[in-house]
Amino acid sequence: MRTTIDASPRTRAVAQQQALASPPPPTATPSSSAPIQRVIDFSADVERQYTKDAYLTKLMHVSHLSFDQIRRTWIAAEKSAEHVTLPDNIELAWAMLAPFQPKPPRRRGAKAPVLPQYPENDVGLLDEAARAIPMTSRFDVGKHQAAISSHYQTIFPPAKEESAQAQQPWNPEEPGEFEEHLSTVDFTTWDNLEPEQKGVLLLNRNNPKLLMRELKKLVAHTSDATNDYLIALYSHLAALRGDARAVGTEAGLPDNGEYLQTIVDIRSGKALDADPYKPPKFSQVSSIDWTERRELVEDHPFLRQRSDQLYRHLDARRDRNALDVLTKWASPATGVQKNNVGMDIGLSAKSHDSGHAGDDIALLDSTLARIAPIEGTLYAAYPRNDSLQPGRLFSQGTPLSASESAGGTVAFSKGGMKKKGDRMDRYRIYAKGMNGIPISPVAPDIGHGQREVVFRASATFKVLTVEEGNYGAGVTRLVTMVEQGESTSQIDAVKQSQEALLNSNDRWLTRLGDVDLDQRTQSWFISNSTGGSVEGQRDASFAFPYGKKTAQAWHDVITDNGIDIWSIDGFRTVAARLAGETRSEVEFITQDDEPSFWGAPVRLTSPEKKTLAGHGLSVTSVKGRGNKGLFNVSYQQEDKASALGELLARSKREFDDILASKPKPKPKGPRRIDPAKEKENDIARLAARVQQQISVLHPLHDTNGRVSRAYAYLILRRAGYGDRPLRLFDQDKDQTTSRADWENQFASYQPEEEEEDDWLPSPTPVTDMGGARSFIGTLAGGTMPQRLSEVEKEEKTLSARQDVEDDDLWVEQEMLAFASHRPSWLPPDLGLEMDAFVASDRKRRKEEEAPEKKGKKNKKKRVRATPSTKPKRYADAVALQHRVTIAISNRIQTSLNRKRRFDEIEEQGASDEEASDRDNVSDIEDDEDDPDYLPGDEQRKRKKPRVL
């Protein structure tokens, strides 16, 4: 329960407001001998981090100053005695930094001090650093530290403006492409296959019988469990069947494919949140505190942010294993990046090969997922890869190690400096804040020295250019690539899966995926502008793309072929991944726990009360005046794990019986039932039954709804129906609907054709709150207009009161938090209003914290009561909230209008093309009647010019 409360928007708003609206008091100016103090800090609540070059370039654009002027301002702010906490909003950040802009020299002809500049041609510097810096610090820590320290300017180069190409946002409309391969096989495995093996898989992709014979032959004749062809066959068959365990059993694998599935999961970049990593010895690394070097004053805020972000999400004691994995990955001394030496001890699926990446990589990936990703230009050094071609996509399939500077890669590429050294590539990566995670604080001598960034295993890049030449430190080729987001098909798949997560009344939220709003603004809009009508507010995290992580995790789970869904351990895995926890953190409700209950009293019909009682739930009337017709609903008090184990075992027997049953002969007569369709319906009924039984059992403290719905689709997938469109049901009625009706509804569900968007573009902008409520009500449909009307009445009631409760001032806290991270597109006057709102709150807090001197001097003297300021504070906050709601509503309306017009143009184009094709067919038919007609003329007439 505590976790649920802490995750609520209002609780987060209070924490943000306390951290940002009330900065710590300024400290004394440091002496010349004292280290530079921590002056510029970034807010802890950021969605992404930036490289030094990327952040200062963004400041340059909003300030309209030169890049050197920005650098001088940045350094002056860091050296000052004042404390500045920078928010996400770049414009607001510049407003906080602008007062530190150095004044021009007073003397005529005097110039500002010259800033150090990094040379355009850094080949010589990189060569020197590579020769001096050892590959590892295992044998001589002192020598390693000294070498890095003597070349710090190569590793921490002075800031330079980002290139125009690096500043371009990722464009999903210009995707690259992979060479032809099976999407069911990960890139690492596919790249390791022989050409003839790839050919067999591509040619027989839809022939599971032939591929199963190949797999059985391999299992019988090879003892190498890491054979890539074996892994590819298994992975593809598991995806076709939808049940990896069944494939492993049929192929004759001794562990039913458990070990192979571990490899497939790891190479596919899935975050298993595995617990079993128990190293015999934790990593010990030396430390260089780069923030003590005055020459690196430009870098200090970024170094502190890297450390703050990492340790904000990882506790040094509780997450010791995760931190150790990060440390080993960041330290070349362990050899982990090459073959994971010494990191597969005590795994649940123990490695048969010392070079196999076990659950440690899954733990690494889930650990990286907690930390804010980075945006900016990064560098990596890897052996030459001739398959990299401009326009093609590249995915390493395992975590990719990079650095925030080219100098940070020299130890990895120095092998190419030998006379017969390895040919090396340097990757110049334009990271877009998706999968690149800074981890340098865990290994300061290597990480900070190399400025370590790790891209998660699922990271994908589009190759832009490949250039031959001498690029220093043994590198003979520069490959420029840009980080890619999800493919269009993946986004669509997640959106479709998400429909099963969202309440039917909330599915309008998926439209926000087509709107130019950042996730933080979407979060605010969903939580504040709808009067809390989105189910539980926190459940708005299912909305796409605001809750992309939640929707993505759910999609990944329901399409996972390797989970043993019929065991308690498999159930725990599903719950852990949907909750973003490790398996050990999933706790079942026990007999000794208080019964769980519905969140609030509800009104129920007599049939609904009867149905709930039939499901084993307790329904009691709420006592007290004004509560007539309201009921409390609670779940059974029992040992949930035992009951769940029985439920899963019983359901598995029913599942096997349905699959084992022989098809019935087609009945004669007019009412024929397709046996295959009947079997699918039987599986669908079982899926609905299991979903409903898990829901009413309520075995966990949280995520029961998500887990139960995931089980319905997992069961369909295990039976081979994973390629069907998702069956949807009204998730709010699974407990108030009888078992038979629930099963029949799910079994008889027919996907409807995609309905045309009935939202009509409006040329009139939103100018007041009435218009905003009308817009939101029309956009959402359902009962939203009535709910917004109730919100309006509630606001008027509170505004008329002479005092306001603290609980009702949550709107003030939300506005203070939003002001610190407001989007840059808001009107300037609204930005000034927010600044005044924040300043007024700070002034009030200072006045409240000041000692009441008059009361101390004369305690007996009667003090006149001060009128409460809460009503005015509430009114000011609501007025500001309305202004923001109007601005966001206009933004959404403009985006939807633009999309609607674009869709209409596309539809018209498609219609014109169809008409043209019909005309061409008619012309060809006329030509065939022509006595001068020659075969082949129709091809020339049909052929259209190729558009390049």
mmCIF file of all heavy atoms in Angstrom, residues 647-675:
data_model
loop_
_atom_site.group_PDB
_atom_site.id
_atom_site.type_symbol
_atom_site.label_atom_id
_atom_site.label_comp_id
_atom_site.label_asym_id
_atom_site.label_seq_id
_atom_site.Cartn_x
_atom_site.Cartn_y
_atom_site.Cartn_z
ATOM 1 N N LEU A 647 -5.425 -23.728 -8.443
ATOM 2 C CA LEU A 647 -6.100 -23.167 -9.611
ATOM 3 C C LEU A 647 -5.286 -23.431 -10.878
ATOM 4 O O LEU A 647 -5.831 -23.868 -11.898
ATOM 5 C CB LEU A 647 -6.306 -21.661 -9.395
ATOM 6 C CG LEU A 647 -7.138 -20.847 -10.390
ATOM 7 C CD1 LEU A 647 -7.541 -19.513 -9.758
ATOM 8 C CD2 LEU A 647 -6.397 -20.549 -11.688
ATOM 9 N N LEU A 648 -3.985 -23.185 -10.818
ATOM 10 C CA LEU A 648 -3.132 -23.362 -11.992
ATOM 11 C C LEU A 648 -3.016 -24.831 -12.380
ATOM 12 O O LEU A 648 -3.038 -25.174 -13.567
ATOM 13 C CB LEU A 648 -1.749 -22.766 -11.730
ATOM 14 C CG LEU A 648 -1.683 -21.244 -11.535
ATOM 15 C CD1 LEU A 648 -0.269 -20.808 -11.173
ATOM 16 C CD2 LEU A 648 -2.159 -20.518 -12.783
ATOM 17 N N ALA A 649 -2.885 -25.716 -11.390
ATOM 18 C CA ALA A 649 -2.776 -27.153 -11.685
ATOM 19 C C ALA A 649 -4.061 -27.669 -12.331
ATOM 20 O O ALA A 649 -4.025 -28.438 -13.310
ATOM 21 C CB ALA A 649 -2.481 -27.925 -10.399
ATOM 22 N N ARG A 650 -5.202 -27.246 -11.801
ATOM 23 C CA ARG A 650 -6.494 -27.659 -12.370
ATOM 24 C C ARG A 650 -6.655 -27.131 -13.795
ATOM 25 O O ARG A 650 -7.086 -27.846 -14.691
ATOM 26 C CB ARG A 650 -7.615 -27.137 -11.472
ATOM 27 C CG ARG A 650 -9.012 -27.531 -11.902
ATOM 28 C CD ARG A 650 -10.050 -27.101 -10.880
ATOM 29 N NE ARG A 650 -10.103 -25.647 -10.719
ATOM 30 C CZ ARG A 650 -9.677 -24.981 -9.633
ATOM 31 N NH1 ARG A 650 -9.145 -25.654 -8.624
ATOM 32 N NH2 ARG A 650 -9.755 -23.668 -9.555
ATOM 33 N N SER A 651 -6.263 -25.893 -14.006
ATOM 34 C CA SER A 651 -6.397 -25.276 -15.329
ATOM 35 C C SER A 651 -5.464 -25.930 -16.337
ATOM 36 O O SER A 651 -5.816 -26.073 -17.514
ATOM 37 C CB SER A 651 -6.095 -23.783 -15.242
ATOM 38 O OG SER A 651 -6.971 -23.148 -14.325
ATOM 39 N N LYS A 652 -4.278 -26.337 -15.888
ATOM 40 C CA LYS A 652 -3.339 -27.023 -16.791
ATOM 41 C C LYS A 652 -3.925 -28.345 -17.272
ATOM 42 O O LYS A 652 -3.795 -28.697 -18.459
ATOM 43 C CB LYS A 652 -2.021 -27.283 -16.052
ATOM 44 C CG LYS A 652 -0.972 -28.075 -16.859
ATOM 45 C CD LYS A 652 -0.489 -27.284 -18.070
ATOM 46 C CE LYS A 652 0.791 -27.877 -18.677
ATOM 47 N NZ LYS A 652 0.591 -29.203 -19.246
ATOM 48 N N ARG A 653 -4.583 -29.093 -16.389
ATOM 49 C CA ARG A 653 -5.206 -30.363 -16.787
ATOM 50 C C ARG A 653 -6.304 -30.096 -17.820
ATOM 51 O O ARG A 653 -6.409 -30.826 -18.823
ATOM 52 C CB ARG A 653 -5.770 -31.079 -15.561
ATOM 53 C CG ARG A 653 -4.696 -31.625 -14.618
ATOM 54 C CD ARG A 653 -5.299 -32.588 -13.605
ATOM 55 N NE ARG A 653 -6.232 -31.909 -12.703
ATOM 56 C CZ ARG A 653 -5.881 -31.331 -11.548
ATOM 57 N NH1 ARG A 653 -4.611 -31.366 -11.157
ATOM 58 N NH2 ARG A 653 -6.779 -30.753 -10.785
ATOM 59 N N GLU A 654 -7.104 -29.079 -17.595
ATOM 60 C CA GLU A 654 -8.174 -28.750 -18.540
ATOM 61 C C GLU A 654 -7.580 -28.320 -19.888
ATOM 62 O O GLU A 654 -8.103 -28.682 -20.949
ATOM 63 C CB GLU A 654 -9.049 -27.631 -17.970
ATOM 64 C CG GLU A 654 -9.811 -28.029 -16.713
ATOM 65 C CD GLU A 654 -10.578 -26.851 -16.115
ATOM 66 O OE1 GLU A 654 -10.732 -25.834 -16.803
ATOM 67 O OE2 GLU A 654 -11.019 -26.954 -14.959
ATOM 68 N N PHE A 655 -6.502 -27.547 -19.835
ATOM 69 C CA PHE A 655 -5.823 -27.088 -21.048
ATOM 70 C C PHE A 655 -5.311 -28.277 -21.854
ATOM 71 O O PHE A 655 -5.521 -28.366 -23.067
ATOM 72 C CB PHE A 655 -4.670 -26.162 -20.637
ATOM 73 C CG PHE A 655 -3.847 -25.652 -21.777
ATOM 74 C CD1 PHE A 655 -4.256 -24.538 -22.509
ATOM 75 C CD2 PHE A 655 -2.642 -26.253 -22.117
ATOM 76 C CE1 PHE A 655 -3.488 -24.044 -23.553
ATOM 77 C CE2 PHE A 655 -1.868 -25.772 -23.155
ATOM 78 C CZ PHE A 655 -2.288 -24.659 -23.876
ATOM 79 N N ASP A 656 -4.641 -29.222 -21.196
ATOM 80 C CA ASP A 656 -4.109 -30.407 -21.875
ATOM 81 C C ASP A 656 -5.231 -31.255 -22.460
ATOM 82 O O ASP A 656 -5.095 -31.806 -23.563
ATOM 83 C CB ASP A 656 -3.267 -31.243 -20.907
ATOM 84 C CG ASP A 656 -1.971 -30.544 -20.512
ATOM 85 O OD1 ASP A 656 -1.548 -29.627 -21.241
ATOM 86 O OD2 ASP A 656 -1.398 -30.902 -19.470
ATOM 87 N N ASP A 657 -6.343 -31.369 -21.737
ATOM 88 C CA ASP A 657 -7.472 -32.170 -22.222
ATOM 89 C C ASP A 657 -8.052 -31.583 -23.506
ATOM 90 O O ASP A 657 -8.397 -32.314 -24.446
ATOM 91 C CB ASP A 657 -8.568 -32.251 -21.155
ATOM 92 C CG ASP A 657 -8.150 -33.121 -19.972
ATOM 93 O OD1 ASP A 657 -7.173 -33.889 -20.121
ATOM 94 O OD2 ASP A 657 -8.775 -33.007 -18.899
ATOM 95 N N ILE A 658 -8.143 -30.239 -23.552
ATOM 96 C CA ILE A 658 -8.697 -29.594 -24.748
ATOM 97 C C ILE A 658 -7.780 -29.826 -25.947
ATOM 98 O O ILE A 658 -8.231 -30.169 -27.048
ATOM 99 C CB ILE A 658 -8.891 -28.082 -24.515
ATOM 100 C CG1 ILE A 658 -9.946 -27.855 -23.436
ATOM 101 C CG2 ILE A 658 -9.306 -27.379 -25.808
ATOM 102 C CD1 ILE A 658 -10.084 -26.402 -23.011
ATOM 103 N N LEU A 659 -6.465 -29.664 -25.751
ATOM 104 C CA LEU A 659 -5.519 -29.833 -26.858
ATOM 105 C C LEU A 659 -5.420 -31.292 -27.289
ATOM 106 O O LEU A 659 -5.172 -31.578 -28.469
ATOM 107 C CB LEU A 659 -4.142 -29.318 -26.461
ATOM 108 C CG LEU A 659 -3.997 -27.806 -26.255
ATOM 109 C CD1 LEU A 659 -2.539 -27.443 -26.026
ATOM 110 C CD2 LEU A 659 -4.528 -27.033 -27.459
ATOM 111 N N ALA A 660 -5.586 -32.221 -26.334
ATOM 112 C CA ALA A 660 -5.442 -33.647 -26.651
ATOM 113 C C ALA A 660 -6.684 -34.226 -27.302
ATOM 114 O O ALA A 660 -6.620 -35.290 -27.933
ATOM 115 C CB ALA A 660 -5.112 -34.434 -25.382
ATOM 116 N N SER A 661 -7.816 -33.564 -27.161
ATOM 117 C CA SER A 661 -9.064 -34.113 -27.699
ATOM 118 C C SER A 661 -9.007 -34.167 -29.217
ATOM 119 O O SER A 661 -8.513 -33.250 -29.874
ATOM 120 C CB SER A 661 -10.253 -33.250 -27.258
ATOM 121 O OG SER A 661 -10.109 -31.933 -27.743
ATOM 122 N N LYS A 662 -9.500 -35.253 -29.769
ATOM 123 C CA LYS A 662 -9.501 -35.424 -31.218
ATOM 124 C C LYS A 662 -10.620 -34.587 -31.837
ATOM 125 O O LYS A 662 -11.701 -34.454 -31.258
ATOM 126 C CB LYS A 662 -9.698 -36.897 -31.567
ATOM 127 C CG LYS A 662 -8.560 -37.790 -31.113
ATOM 128 C CD LYS A 662 -8.806 -39.232 -31.519
ATOM 129 C CE LYS A 662 -7.645 -40.120 -31.063
ATOM 130 N NZ LYS A 662 -7.877 -41.532 -31.433
ATOM 131 N N PRO A 663 -10.368 -34.037 -33.010
ATOM 132 C CA PRO A 663 -11.404 -33.240 -33.668
ATOM 133 C C PRO A 663 -12.656 -34.063 -33.918
ATOM 134 O O PRO A 663 -12.589 -35.206 -34.364
ATOM 135 C CB PRO A 663 -10.747 -32.809 -34.991
ATOM 136 C CG PRO A 663 -9.283 -32.988 -34.777
ATOM 137 C CD PRO A 663 -9.131 -34.102 -33.788
ATOM 138 N N LYS A 664 -13.803 -33.494 -33.626
ATOM 139 C CA LYS A 664 -15.065 -34.179 -33.869
ATOM 140 C C LYS A 664 -15.397 -34.124 -35.355
ATOM 141 O O LYS A 664 -15.064 -33.160 -36.035
ATOM 142 C CB LYS A 664 -16.175 -33.516 -33.061
ATOM 143 C CG LYS A 664 -15.934 -33.541 -31.561
ATOM 144 C CD LYS A 664 -17.028 -32.778 -30.834
ATOM 145 C CE LYS A 664 -16.766 -32.742 -29.335
ATOM 146 N NZ LYS A 664 -17.794 -31.946 -28.616
ATOM 147 N N PRO A 665 -16.069 -35.150 -35.862
ATOM 148 C CA PRO A 665 -16.470 -35.090 -37.274
ATOM 149 C C PRO A 665 -17.491 -33.980 -37.494
ATOM 150 O O PRO A 665 -18.275 -33.661 -36.607
ATOM 151 C CB PRO A 665 -17.084 -36.483 -37.519
ATOM 152 C CG PRO A 665 -17.477 -36.965 -36.160
ATOM 153 C CD PRO A 665 -16.471 -36.398 -35.208
ATOM 154 N N LYS A 666 -17.403 -33.397 -38.677
ATOM 155 C CA LYS A 666 -18.326 -32.305 -38.955
ATOM 156 C C LYS A 666 -19.759 -32.831 -38.985
ATOM 157 O O LYS A 666 -20.064 -33.790 -39.699
ATOM 158 C CB LYS A 666 -17.989 -31.660 -40.303
ATOM 159 C CG LYS A 666 -16.696 -30.866 -40.292
ATOM 160 C CD LYS A 666 -16.499 -30.142 -41.595
ATOM 161 C CE LYS A 666 -15.235 -29.296 -41.550
ATOM 162 N NZ LYS A 666 -15.031 -28.542 -42.813
ATOM 163 N N PRO A 667 -20.638 -32.226 -38.183
ATOM 164 C CA PRO A 667 -22.031 -32.704 -38.166
ATOM 165 C C PRO A 667 -22.741 -32.377 -39.469
ATOM 166 O O PRO A 667 -22.426 -31.401 -40.137
ATOM 167 C CB PRO A 667 -22.636 -31.931 -36.986
ATOM 168 C CG PRO A 667 -21.793 -30.701 -36.875
ATOM 169 C CD PRO A 667 -20.415 -31.105 -37.284
ATOM 170 N N LYS A 668 -23.675 -33.223 -39.813
ATOM 171 C CA LYS A 668 -24.452 -32.985 -41.017
ATOM 172 C C LYS A 668 -25.627 -32.077 -40.691
ATOM 173 O O LYS A 668 -26.097 -32.035 -39.571
ATOM 174 C CB LYS A 668 -24.935 -34.323 -41.586
ATOM 175 C CG LYS A 668 -23.804 -35.242 -42.009
ATOM 176 C CD LYS A 668 -24.340 -36.550 -42.562
ATOM 177 C CE LYS A 668 -23.183 -37.468 -42.981
ATOM 178 N NZ LYS A 668 -23.684 -38.748 -43.530
ATOM 179 N N GLY A 669 -26.092 -31.410 -41.674
ATOM 180 C CA GLY A 669 -27.229 -30.536 -41.464
ATOM 181 C C GLY A 669 -26.849 -29.081 -41.671
ATOM 182 O O GLY A 669 -25.691 -28.733 -41.896
ATOM 183 N N PRO A 670 -27.837 -28.198 -41.568
ATOM 184 C CA PRO A 670 -27.599 -26.777 -41.854
ATOM 185 C C PRO A 670 -26.725 -26.089 -40.819
ATOM 186 O O PRO A 670 -25.991 -25.164 -41.147
ATOM 187 C CB PRO A 670 -29.014 -26.180 -41.887
ATOM 188 C CG PRO A 670 -29.840 -27.114 -41.052
ATOM 189 C CD PRO A 670 -29.258 -28.469 -41.255
ATOM 190 N N ARG A 671 -26.788 -26.509 -39.546
ATOM 191 C CA ARG A 671 -26.035 -25.821 -38.484
ATOM 192 C C ARG A 671 -24.739 -26.578 -38.217
ATOM 193 O O ARG A 671 -24.635 -27.390 -37.312
ATOM 194 C CB ARG A 671 -26.880 -25.733 -37.213
ATOM 195 C CG ARG A 671 -28.129 -24.890 -37.387
ATOM 196 C CD ARG A 671 -28.843 -24.742 -36.073
ATOM 197 N NE ARG A 671 -28.034 -24.020 -35.104
ATOM 198 C CZ ARG A 671 -28.379 -23.849 -33.832
ATOM 199 N NH1 ARG A 671 -29.501 -24.360 -33.376
ATOM 200 N NH2 ARG A 671 -27.587 -23.178 -33.020
ATOM 201 N N ARG A 672 -23.762 -26.346 -39.055
ATOM 202 C CA ARG A 672 -22.478 -27.018 -38.904
ATOM 203 C C ARG A 672 -21.532 -26.158 -38.080
ATOM 204 O O ARG A 672 -21.463 -24.950 -38.262
ATOM 205 C CB ARG A 672 -21.861 -27.289 -40.271
ATOM 206 C CG ARG A 672 -22.683 -28.252 -41.116
ATOM 207 C CD ARG A 672 -21.999 -28.521 -42.438
ATOM 208 N NE ARG A 672 -22.756 -29.468 -43.234
ATOM 209 C CZ ARG A 672 -22.376 -29.894 -44.426
ATOM 210 N NH1 ARG A 672 -21.246 -29.448 -44.962
ATOM 211 N NH2 ARG A 672 -23.111 -30.752 -45.098
ATOM 212 N N ILE A 673 -20.803 -26.785 -37.169
ATOM 213 C CA ILE A 673 -19.821 -26.088 -36.339
ATOM 214 C C ILE A 673 -18.437 -26.581 -36.729
ATOM 215 O O ILE A 673 -18.167 -27.778 -36.708
ATOM 216 C CB ILE A 673 -20.080 -26.351 -34.845
ATOM 217 C CG1 ILE A 673 -21.485 -25.886 -34.456
ATOM 218 C CG2 ILE A 673 -19.035 -25.640 -33.984
ATOM 219 C CD1 ILE A 673 -21.856 -26.200 -33.022
ATOM 220 N N ASP A 674 -17.575 -25.658 -37.092
ATOM 221 C CA ASP A 674 -16.206 -26.001 -37.464
ATOM 222 C C ASP A 674 -15.486 -26.541 -36.234
ATOM 223 O O ASP A 674 -15.375 -25.834 -35.222
ATOM 224 C CB ASP A 674 -15.498 -24.755 -37.998
ATOM 225 C CG ASP A 674 -14.093 -25.076 -38.493
ATOM 226 O OD1 ASP A 674 -13.678 -26.240 -38.378
ATOM 227 O OD2 ASP A 674 -13.416 -24.145 -38.968
ATOM 228 N N PRO A 675 -14.965 -27.785 -36.248
ATOM 229 C CA PRO A 675 -14.279 -28.349 -35.075
ATOM 230 C C PRO A 675 -13.088 -27.513 -34.625
ATOM 231 O O PRO A 675 -12.841 -27.364 -33.429
ATOM 232 C CB PRO A 675 -13.844 -29.735 -35.548
ATOM 233 C CG PRO A 675 -14.756 -30.060 -36.682
ATOM 234 C CD PRO A 675 -15.076 -28.758 -37.337
#
